[in-house]
Amino acid sequence: MKMTPRNFNRFAMFKLPSAWLCGVRVKTIDATSCTVGVKHRWINQNPFNSMFWAVQGMAAELSTGAMVIGQIAKSGKRISMLVARNNATFTKKATGRISFVCKDGGLIEEAIKNTIATGEGQTFWMQSVGTNEAGVEVATFNFEWTVKVKNT
């Protein structure tokens, strides 16, 4: 799959329907960074009139995982990917339009090269920072991704 926002949003509609229904959308993507947006709406709110933390997590994870998917496709190899661990810090109520940005795409290529060369699983941490329309940080998510060549 070519790394374009349109392709990833179509992918989300069929493979990540809960994220798609909640309004999670890839806005920009390249090999080193990805921006995912989501707007606070009735379907993704919590009882406190802000965005449910899990919706923020879906957007943050997609901002990291979309680049992993793109790099795996670029490698031409059958490679599995999985989030092994994650953590998050919430600093402000998420209302309005929230953008999650990950700039850690440079970590992926080396991990994929290493798993192809060694056959061993590789892990790496990626961070996604969510900001509101005023540029104020609302949340930071960290994901430990694992990649491993699949046995054929």
Side-chain angles (χ1 to χ4, degrees):
M1 169 172 49
K2 189 172 190 238
M3 287 190 358
T4 67
R6 182 180 178 140
N7 284 345
F8 278 105
N9 292 330
R10 187 178 307 123
F11 170 82
M13 184 170 57
F14 293 105
K15 297 294 186 178
L16 303 168
S18 58
W20 192 84
L21 287 170
C22 287
V24 174
R25 302 291 188 272
V26 174
K27 299 297 182 187
T28 64
I29 186 167
D30 60 35
T32 59
S33 68
C34 181
T35 301
V36 172
V38 61
K39 185 177 181 181
H40 173 231
R41 300 181 308 164
W42 173 83
I43 197 165
N44 62 26
Q45 72 181 350
N46 62 29
F48 311 107
N49 201 29
S50 62
M51 192 178 300
F52 185 51
W53 71 268
V55 175
Q56 294 178 62
M58 288 188 288
E61 182 182 358
L62 185 58
S63 74
T64 63
M67 290 185 290
V68 178
I69 291 168
Q71 289 292 331
I72 288 172
K74 183 179 166 186
S75 77
K77 302 289 183 184
R78 291 177 22 99
I79 298 173
S80 64
M81 60 185 276
L82 181 69
V83 172
R85 291 188 288 171
N86 76 300
N87 61 62
T89 304
F90 301 92
T91 51
K92 186 164 178 62
K93 281 179 88 168
T95 58
R97 188 169 302 280
I98 308 298
S99 295
F100 283 91
V101 179
C102 177
K103 298 179 180 178
D104 294 335
L107 303 172
I108 304 164
E109 189 174 359
E110 182 178 345
I112 289 175
K113 284 180 183 177
N114 287 341
T115 193
I116 291 169
T118 66
E120 299 294 320
Q122 303 292 311
T123 65
F124 53 97
W125 282 90
M126 297 178 77
Q127 184 175 80
S128 182
V129 177
T131 56
N132 63 19
E133 294 163 299
V136 176
E137 185 177 311
V138 298
T140 300
F141 283 79
N142 298 292
F143 297 94
E144 182 184 32
W145 283 99
T146 63
V147 291
K148 185 175 181 187
V149 174
K150 293 180 181 178
N151 295 331
T152 54

